[in-house]
Amino acid sequence: MSLPKTLAEDVARNLVMVARLIDEDPEEAYAYSRIALRLASRVAAVREAAGFAAYATQKYAEALAEFRASRRMTGSVDLWPVMADCERGLGRPERAMAMAGEPEVQKLDKAGQVEMRLVAAGARRDMGQIDAAIVTLQSPELASSSIQPWTPRLRYAYADALLEAGREDEAREWFGKALEADKDGSTDASDRLAELDGVAFVDVLGDDEDAETDGPVSSSLDDSPAGDDDVDERGDGADKA
């Protein structure tokens, strides 16, 4: 759908702000997406941007509605994994699992299929099926030595699932592999490894803003248990991997 030039420029400016702010200030990005939506609700790119802005602010029902609208307009399956992850966000992991078995998954590119695998594994974990989640993540992409954009998140999700299953040594190995692949710092694999090794980073500044330090100070916590906080893949996958 084409828009008059002035209107198209207004919409484009708002979409630029959504893209610029969505990671740093999701609420502000959401506000810009609503403006764009009011101006051009029949443009698929606007509906998609509005969906991602709603997703970033955990408005999963709204995000799902926008993604569905965009898909109706374009016929594309690219949003299928994030739509499934919205179902997880709405507390419906069984629906996410059902979507993982639909024919649309076979139409996704490799990145989309990996994202769908991450979402499906997250849904298994939501349902308390940790062993099934581990099996879901085991794939040629996980075993490959080739580093792809999705590699750090896939390895990280596998390590985190192993840790939840009590397989600490294997988890440590895979957090290490995730860190090796994570050149952009997209995961906190280094922090998770530190937790497993009983290392804590201490803020030596405390309340004294005038104190100076050259960097974090680590101390060995021999009596502290290894950390095992759950990680939500949403927001890894689909960004729902």
Side-chain angles (χ1 to χ4, degrees):
M1 178 181 179
S2 60
L3 299 172
K5 182 179 179 180
T6 301
L7 179 57
E9 290 174 349
D10 288 343
V11 171
R13 279 194 291 269
N14 282 283
L15 293 183
V16 167
M17 293 306 295
V18 172
R20 183 178 300 171
L21 293 169
I22 196 164
D23 292 327
E24 299 176 1
D25 191 346
E27 291 292 345
E28 190 69 11
Y30 176 76
Y32 278 105
S33 77
R34 301 306 297 176
I35 296 172
L37 198 56
R38 287 197 296 270
L39 293 173
S41 62
R42 296 184 180 181
V43 175
V46 171
R47 303 304 289 266
E48 181 176 333
F52 277 110
Y55 179 82
T57 54
Q58 300 183 9
K59 298 177 175 66
Y60 297 119
E62 187 175 322
L64 185 57
E66 297 300 341
F67 290 143
R68 284 173 173 167
S70 177
R71 182 167 182 264
R72 285 195 299 270
M73 293 174 182
T74 64
S76 171
V77 298
D78 290 350
L79 295 172
W80 196 254
V82 73
M83 289 168 63
D85 209 36
C86 286
E87 295 287 6
R88 285 187 62 211
L90 291 168
R92 302 190 295 236
E94 70 285 347
R95 293 193 184 184
M97 284 304 306
M99 291 179 68
E102 293 292 332
E104 283 82 355
V105 176
Q106 303 306 315
K107 301 176 184 178
L108 294 168
D109 62 13
K110 180 60 68 175
Q113 290 181 6
V114 170
E115 193 65 34
M116 192 70 241
R117 188 177 294 275
L118 287 166
V119 173
R124 290 290 191 189
R125 293 181 68 172
D126 293 343
M127 294 186 288
Q129 301 172 3
I130 185 60
D131 290 337
I134 290 171
V135 172
T136 299
L137 292 168
Q138 292 170 343
S139 62
E141 294 80 19
L142 179 68
S144 175
S145 60
S146 174
I147 305 301
Q148 302 295 333
W150 60 77
T151 302
R153 292 179 59 238
L154 182 59
R155 292 179 178 180
Y156 184 98
Y158 188 59
D160 193 57
L162 289 169
L163 188 59
E164 184 176 336
R167 295 159 63 175
E168 186 174 307
D169 290 342
E170 294 173 85
R172 181 181 286 103
E173 176 187 354
W174 281 96
F175 277 129
K177 290 181 178 182
L179 182 59
E180 289 174 1
D182 192 2
K183 305 305 181 184
D184 300 324
S186 60
T187 73
D188 65 345
S190 61
D191 293 339
R192 301 300 296 279
L193 277 171
E195 291 175 3
L196 285 170
D197 291 334
V199 176
F201 293 93
V202 180
D203 181 3
V204 299
L205 289 178
D207 296 328
D208 185 2
E209 295 181 355
D210 295 327
E212 294 182 358
T213 182
D214 292 331
V217 177
S218 64
S219 62
S220 176
L221 302 180
D222 295 333
D223 297 328
S224 298
D228 61 351
D229 293 344
D230 285 346
V231 172
D232 188 349
E233 287 84 355
R234 287 190 289 277
D236 341 354
D239 322 20
K240 230 152 99 299

